[in-house]
Every structure is written in C-alpha cells, then in structure tokens.
Amino acid sequence: PRQPNISVTINRKPGQPSEGTVAERSAPGGLRKPGEPVGGLRKPGEPAQASTVDGQATGGLRKPGEPAGGLRKPGEPAQANAGETSATNGLRKPGEPASASQNAMKSLARQVVTSLRCEDNDSVVKSAKTLFGALKTEEDADTLADCIISISEYDSEKPDPCASLISKLSEMSISADGPNFRTHILRKCHKRFMERGELRGTEAYSGFASLLAFVFCRLKLADGQRFAVLAEPVTECLIEMMNGSNPDELEVLFYLLEEVGPAMDEISTDHLDKLMHTCREQLLTADCPPAERCSAMQILELRASGWKMNKTLVRYYNRKSRDLRMY
C-alpha cells in the first residue's frame, strides 16, 4: 500500500489553510492557487507579482500604456519614449527644463538681438534670416518671442530695432511652412501687457511700452494695413506713463508720442484724441516741471500741424527744452 504524504499531515490550527508541500510552494511543477505566479504563495490581498520576464525591456508582459523597461508603481504615469523627449520636437511636462533645441535658440537669439542697431536695416534683415532659419518648432518661436521682449525691456536702444526684426520675421513666417512667429509674438505681448502692473515704476515698463509702440508702427497685415487691435494697449501704456512722475519715463513718452502719433492718426483718431486730451490735462499744469510742459506743448502743436513742424519751430522747442532742463 502507498505511504501517506507526511507533508500534508502536519498539525494545523483550526481555520489555518494548508501550507502545502515543498513542491507546492516553490517547485515549477507544484500546485499554485489560481492567478498565483511561480515562486511562492501570496499573502491575502497581495497582487500577483510579475515574473522576471515581465520586468525586462523586451518580451515581457506590460500593463496597458506602460513603456518597455519594467513595471510602473501604482499611480505612476507612463514614461515617454525617446522620440517623445527629443530635443527638436518633443513634448515637455510643466516645469521641465528646456530642451537642447530651446537652449540653443535662446543663446542664438540673445547673440543676434543684442547686436542689432536701429540705424542699420541691412543688419535687421540679416538677423531675421539667421533666426528664421533656426525656427523649427512652436516652442522655438515661443522662446524667441520671450527673448526679444526680455531684451527690449532692459536695453533702451533695442525696442526700435526689435520691432523691425519682429516685422521682418512675421513676413517670413507667413510665406513659408513652419511656426507662425507673428502669432507667438502677439500672444506674448498681450500676456506681458496683462502683467504690466508688476513692471510699473521700473525700467522694464518703459522698455515694454516702447516695444509695443514700435510694433504698432512697424507690423502690418498682408494688405499693408496696420494692426488696429494694438491701438488700445499702446494708448493705455502711454496714458499710464503720462500719469506717472518719473522724468526719465516722461522723456521716453514724448519720443513715443512723436513716433506713434502719425500711425495712430491713420487708423484710430479716437485713441489719439484720448492721448492728446490726457497730455493737456496732466502735463500742461503748474505742477508739471517746465521742461515737460514745453515738450507737451511741442507734441500738441506737432499734431495740430499734421505731424510736420517747420524747422524754425523745431529749433525753438529744442533750444527751449534744453535750456529748461539746465535749471
């Protein structure tokens, strides 16, 4: 007769499940509970563990959406493959460091923009071609727009040539495949305009207001018309500068009014009337310093003469303004 299997005759406490034979617990041919992996018993409620093959980069079983290379922890998102994190067209998570492509664009943009000069149009065209050739993705266009705005805010010589650069880049992007730079720069300017409160009282405010004003003067639609939508934010920025008391800011203001006035007269006389009214109310008062009052008078007379003042009046106001600033 067959001998009884002593491994199943071990005394158990009431309600305790059988531990099974050694073969049942470890050997490949032993008995396993339904769904239990090879290698031993699971504790109550413990999920089945993947085999060694499951955790390998190739050939193993993976959960839906899980990348090759092993199991994910509960709640851990699937990791992007190498193609999704490439330097030129990959997606980045919020807060993730910039890709190599974006860092290269930022470095190139700073090198090109800082070398711009407002009196050198050939330099602007050459710079636009260089930057446009490097624009490969939407994120590159965003990086370039941020860089142009940032440099314009802290270098008083850059808003004018930067506006010319923006105009030239916009023309190039419309007539070619790839990122539409004009869309990116306008969106960034709008965002900065909404955040302008944090710039008030700083050098950056005059820089941004100058860039916005020059973009209004330089940027045009395909049919040659100006962007009328920019008239409102430009007007708001200039009025805020009039309401301030910073002499350096007021000096920038008069220069911008002389530049913006003719362009605004073409498309939005209501906005220009608002600017001239504020100029009279704020700058032709006894509280305003004499030099600023003189400059305000010059702007009002310039507008009244159709933005063409004769040389005699120009010399008079220049001499008067210079003398008043000496005392």
Side-chain angles (χ1 to χ4, degrees), residues 23-42:
E24 291 172 339
R25 286 185 278 112
S26 59
L31 299 176
R32 289 179 288 123
K33 295 182 181 181
E36 182 181 321
V38 176
L41 298 174
R42 288 176 295 147

Side-chain angles (χ1 to χ4, degrees), residues 269-282:
T269 55
D270 289 344
H271 285 96
L272 188 58
D273 288 342
K274 186 177 181 180
L275 281 171
M276 296 298 104
H277 174 75
T278 307
C279 186
R280 291 189 193 92
E281 294 294 316
Q282 295 295 116

Side-chain angles (χ1 to χ4, degrees), residues 196-208:
R196 70 191 187 283
E198 65 188 47
L199 302 179
R200 289 300 289 130
T202 69
E203 176 188 5
Y205 186 87
S206 294
F208 174 70

Side-chain angles (χ1 to χ4, degrees), residues 105 108-109 112-113 127-135 144 165 169:
M105 173 54 72
L108 177 63
V112 170
V113 174
S127 298
K129 290 180 178 179
T130 300
L131 292 171
F132 184 74
L135 286 178
L144 177 56
L165 178 66
L169 283 169

Side-chain angles (χ1 to χ4, degrees), residues 19-271:
E19 295 181 356
T21 64
V22 173
E24 291 172 339
R25 286 185 278 112
S26 59
L31 299 176
R32 289 179 288 123
K33 295 182 181 181
E36 182 181 321
V38 176
L41 298 174
R42 288 176 295 147
K43 297 179 181 180
E46 183 179 354
Q49 299 297 316
S51 66
T52 304
V53 179
D54 291 293
Q56 298 303 314
T58 57
L61 298 176
R62 289 179 284 123
K63 299 180 182 180
E66 183 183 329
L71 297 175
R72 289 176 293 149
K73 297 179 181 180
E76 182 180 336
Q79 298 297 314
N81 58 38
E84 292 174 331
T85 56
S86 66
T88 57
N89 60 358
L91 300 174
R92 292 185 298 118
K93 299 177 182 178
E96 187 176 342
S99 65
S101 173
Q102 288 175 286
N103 287 331
M105 173 54 72
K106 184 180 294 186
S107 176
L108 177 63
R110 289 195 172 279
Q111 178 183 349
V112 170
V113 174
T114 52
S115 66
L116 286 175
R117 296 293 180 268
C118 60
E119 67 278 1
D120 190 354
N121 185 62
D122 290 340
S123 172
V124 171
V125 174
K126 183 179 178 180
S127 298
K129 290 180 178 179
T130 300
L131 292 171
F132 184 74
L135 286 178
K136 304 301 181 185
T137 69
E138 302 296 332
E139 287 188 334
D140 286 342
D142 255 8
T143 301
L144 177 56
D146 281 333
C147 187
I148 290 175
I149 292 174
S150 176
I151 292 175
S152 296
E153 288 179 349
Y154 291 100
D155 188 336
S156 60
E157 295 183 356
K158 291 300 180 283
D160 190 353
C162 278
S164 298
L165 178 66
I166 288 169
S167 176
K168 186 59 65 176
L169 283 169
S170 298
E171 292 176 12
M172 292 178 176
S173 65
I174 291 173
S175 59
D177 294 332
N180 187 332
F181 179 73
R182 187 176 70 187
T183 299
H184 286 271
I185 190 65
L186 289 176
R187 184 170 62 238
K188 291 291 185 179
C189 283
H190 173 73
K191 181 176 181 292
R192 199 58 171 155
F193 173 74
M194 299 304 292
E195 300 170 344
R196 70 191 187 283
E198 65 188 47
L199 302 179
R200 289 300 289 130
T202 69
E203 176 188 5
Y205 186 87
S206 294
F208 174 70
S210 298
L211 177 66
L212 200 60
F214 283 118
V215 168
F216 172 70
C217 294
R218 306 278 190 275
L219 193 61
K220 294 183 180 181
L221 296 166
D223 60 1
Q225 296 296 313
R226 300 185 188 278
F227 274 81
V229 69
L230 293 176
E232 179 67 25
V234 169
T235 301
E236 290 299 316
C237 285
L238 297 183
I239 287 177
E240 287 173 359
M241 293 173 74
M242 288 184 202
N243 291 332
S245 56
N246 186 330
D248 293 333
E249 207 169 78
L250 289 176
E251 187 173 351
V252 174
L253 166 71
F254 296 126
Y255 175 66
L256 294 179
L257 284 173
E258 190 170 347
E259 290 290 322
V260 169
M264 197 168 286
D265 233 351
E266 292 178 11
I267 62 170
S268 183
T269 55
D270 289 344
H271 285 96

